[in-house]
Amino acid sequence: MPRPTAAQCAYGSATVIFSTLAMLLLSQTASGIGIAVIALAALALGVLVALTVPMPKTARTVRCTTRGSASPTPDRTAVSEAVSGARVPTHSRG
């Protein structure tokens, strides 16, 4: 399982804090058991929110083949265009 990102920790923590405060204010409980139940419910909600925040996409492997070439190694220009999305000028030897 991958480590949580900073955004996941922030969203989860904010959810725990704000949901605890909201439930305590709305329920107006004063008993220890009621506060413990609310704290556990807020913690479970925070974990749920942290786990449902989308993870960053992992880098995909780019496989390029040049036309007319039986070589398995991709052309450097084709790979840089595929990775950066922009054309890279090539210097001709002359």
Side-chain angles (χ1 to χ4, degrees), residues 56-86:
K57 302 283 184 191
T58 56
R60 292 185 288 174
T61 304
V62 177
R63 294 181 186 176
C64 297
T65 58
T66 57
R67 293 182 187 177
S69 173
S71 173
T73 58
D75 183 20
R76 284 180 44 181
T77 306
V79 171
S80 11
E81 286 177 9
V83 170
S84 68

Side-chain angles (χ1 to χ4, degrees), residues 19-48:
S19 62
T20 302
L21 288 175
M23 285 189 279
L24 285 173
L25 290 174
L26 290 173
S27 68
Q28 298 179 354
T29 186
S31 69
I33 294 175
I35 293 173
V37 168
I38 288 174
L40 287 174
L43 184 61
L45 185 62
V47 169
L48 180 69

